[in-house]
Amino acid sequence: MTYTPFNTEHFLKTTLPQLHPRPNDAFEAALHSRDLAYAFEGFHFGFLEQYHLDIETIRAENVESAEYRIFHPTKTVYEVNVAKLRDALPEIHQKVVHLRSCDVEKFLGRGYLYACAKSAAGDRVTEYERVNLADLRKVLTPEEIGPYVVARERVAGPEIITAAEAKEHGMA
């Protein structure tokens, strides 16, 4: 293995000050920090994009490595089975149901938007109904909430791991 992981602390304390010294003047130092923040934000997105392009190349060209593997971690995500909740506990459903709406929700609130949409569109809103798990936890006990929550595995972005780490994850 020839790759040396990036040492952020060394870069920030040693390399960066040599490449772009911090000014002594307080105003210029502030400008320096602002400019670096913007630059690093741009670098962040650029390097992430390059990382994903590199992963695509590895896949497209079927590149194999004795030392590395591509790992696809998963994350368990919990969501409410709204239809089941609506059918079994309609009063609770009415207390916690809402419709997704990006910015309008900030101004009017979920409940008001839901009531307006239901009034205007009737049952057509049913397929768009959502229940926030935190809201449901406020009105049901942990014992009561179980039947209305569905756990799903969500695949996260690919990660490159060592062959030894792959064995720990049960990969060949």
Side-chain angles (χ1 to χ4, degrees), residues 88-119:
L89 300 172
E91 317 79 39
I92 297 293
H93 171 267
Q94 285 300 308
K95 285 183 181 180
V96 296
V97 70
H98 66 275
L99 301 175
R100 276 193 273 197
S101 54
C102 297
D103 297 324
V104 180
E105 177 180 295
K106 295 173 189 172
F107 303 108
L108 300 177
R110 291 178 187 164
Y112 179 75
L113 289 175
Y114 176 75
C116 290
K118 184 86 171 170
S119 173

Side-chain angles (χ1 to χ4, degrees), residues 58 61-69:
I58 290 168
E61 297 177 7
N62 293 317
V63 177
E64 303 251 341
S65 170
E67 298 192 33
Y68 298 103
R69 304 289 184 275

